[in-house]
Amino acid sequence: MKLWKKAGALVLALALTLALASCGQQETQTQETEETPAAHYNVAALKGPTAMGLVKLMHDAEEKSGQMLDSSEPYEGEVGNLYTFTLAASADEVSPKLMQGELDIACVPANLAAVLYQKTGGEIVTLGINTLGVLYIVENGNAVTSMADLAGKTIVASGKGSTPEYALRYLLRENGVDPDGGVVIDWKSEHSECVSALATGAATIAMLPQPFVTVAQSKLQDLRVALDLTEEWDALDNGSALLTGVVVARKDVVEENPAAIDAFLADYAQSVEWVNANTADAAALIGDYGIVDAAVAEKALPACNIVCITGAEMKEKLSGYLQVLFEEDPSSVGAQAGDDAGLPGDDFYYGA
């Protein structure tokens, strides 16, 4: 896990500075400070689309902390929340730190949020959806134009036993293709193996997420996106959405300062809006933070479906998605077969 140590040191020093300064405040000023919703949060995200929407917020938080400490005069700007960011290669690095209290907020796969909710007895809250579907069917050829066209074909894919498998099986079945007997799914351990299979000609069809679609297309000029699985899911009009990532927080953190959590979501939404509107600049930041190569990020960003969906809309999309996963495999959402209470309760959805 990569910790942005500079930002952490700045925040600690800043906290000490503010604490010392507060000793001389008058009572009325102290009361006003106590009513301010600002907080300091340790935030983690996975390298890939779930972290891309955060980069403007990461940059601004680091810049603001630096300005506050470098100034020879008292900082006169609006402070608001302070953040220390951590980037991780896998969810396995994030989950234990979140449950142990070392992290306050984390961007994780959508189904993992439900698993963590179950494991902690409801101590994890989902704040919003940050990434819709990023899965695509790509092909070296022109035989596939619909999900039904995959019947009898071989698809190389990775993610067996996780969301990509459940999503693919569900979409195949809903389009009249038996995922067990009507198609061959050749499971690989990593997305890069799928790209290699396409590059060597060992496969012509693959299911890949962004930004690996862009990586593959950079190596294979004739590789085309045959199907956007997010669009295929939406076409079912089942009241849910194909999701990749959500942002969660510990329940005690949310209950301690809901106004600061609302401020975080506002900061996050502004970052997402900026990233989607400024592809080149966002890609440069993504590269600077080592999330994805900047050139790949610039090409992939428009297809990464980065969002910030909260409240009732978040609950509608996420609950429907988790229901689909539960029906495919209860363990995918931390439940067991026959468990009527296998899905998270209303307290799982913040602001809904």
Side-chain angles (χ1 to χ4, degrees), residues 1-344:
M1 181 178 288
K2 183 174 182 180
L3 176 64
W4 296 104
K5 295 182 179 178
K6 178 180 177 182
L10 290 170
V11 168
L12 290 175
L14 176 59
L16 178 59
T17 301
L18 293 177
L20 292 172
S22 68
C23 293
Q25 296 286 333
Q26 295 179 357
E27 183 177 355
T28 55
Q29 292 175 311
T30 301
Q31 290 175 346
E32 290 175 359
T33 300
E34 290 174 349
E35 294 172 358
T36 301
H40 170 224
Y41 292 127
N42 292 309
V43 185
L46 304 182
K47 290 187 176 182
T50 58
M52 289 180 177
L54 272 173
V55 292
K56 184 63 162 62
L57 180 54
M58 292 170 64
H59 172 75
D60 290 350
E62 188 172 353
E63 187 175 69
K64 178 172 65 177
S65 296
Q67 290 173 348
M68 295 178 77
L69 290 177
D70 291 341
S71 177
S72 59
E73 301 293 333
Y75 184 72
E76 296 181 354
E78 182 178 348
V79 177
N81 287 339
L82 300 174
Y83 306 105
T84 300
F85 291 95
T86 301
L87 293 177
S90 73
D92 291 341
E93 300 177 50
V94 173
S95 297
K97 292 185 179 294
L98 183 65
M99 291 190 290
Q100 293 164 12
E102 295 180 40
L103 293 171
D104 303 307
I105 297 171
C107 300
V108 299
N111 73 303
L112 178 59
V115 172
L116 293 175
Y117 173 89
Q118 304 287 14
K119 282 186 174 181
T120 60
E123 293 302 312
I124 295 296
V125 177
T126 299
L127 305 179
I129 298 166
N130 60 25
T131 318
L132 299 176
V134 295
L135 292 172
Y136 296 83
I137 298 294
V138 296
E139 181 190 16
N140 251 337
N142 296 287
V144 177
T145 59
S146 70
M147 291 298 299
D149 290 337
L150 292 171
K153 305 290 195 303
T154 296
I155 309 166
V156 293
S158 61
K160 183 174 177 58
S162 60
T163 299
E165 179 184 9
Y166 307 134
L168 179 59
R169 290 177 62 85
Y170 173 70
L171 287 171
L172 287 169
R173 188 180 300 109
E174 291 296 307
N175 284 274
V177 181
D178 180 0
D180 295 308
V183 65
V184 176
I185 306 175
D186 181 8
W187 292 105
K188 306 295 185 184
S189 60
E190 297 179 357
H191 302 310
S192 57
E193 291 184 51
C194 299
V195 176
S196 295
L198 291 169
T200 61
T204 59
I205 301 173
M207 178 176 69
L208 288 172
Q210 284 288 8
F212 286 93
V213 171
T214 299
V215 172
Q217 288 182 317
S218 69
K219 297 180 179 181
L220 298 162
Q221 293 185 350
D222 294 331
L223 189 70
R224 70 181 185 91
V225 174
L227 300 171
D228 178 341
L229 296 193
T230 300
E231 292 180 357
E232 296 300 320
W233 191 293
D234 290 345
L236 298 176
D237 195 22
N238 61 9
S240 70
L242 178 57
L243 307 179
T244 296
V246 297
V247 55
V248 301
R250 300 197 329 269
K251 186 176 181 179
D252 61 310
V253 170
V254 173
E255 292 180 341
E256 181 181 1
N257 199 337
I261 290 295
D262 290 340
F264 163 73
L265 288 174
D267 291 342
Y268 200 160
Q270 291 175 4
S271 182
V272 167
E273 182 179 2
W274 182 88
V275 167
N276 285 329
N278 299 274
T279 301
D281 291 339
L285 283 180
I286 289 167
D288 288 344
Y289 283 114
I291 298 171
V292 176
D293 178 78
V296 171
E298 185 169 359
K299 293 180 180 178
L301 266 173
C304 284
N305 289 323
I306 294 168
V307 297
C308 185
I309 299 173
T310 59
E313 184 181 0
M314 174 262 291
K315 180 180 179 181
E316 178 184 11
K317 292 181 181 298
L318 180 56
S319 62
Y321 175 67
L322 295 178
Q323 180 68 47
V324 169
L325 295 189
F326 177 75
E327 292 171 359
E328 284 291 329
D329 182 354
S331 67
S332 67
V333 294
Q336 297 179 354
D339 184 358
D340 293 335
L343 292 171

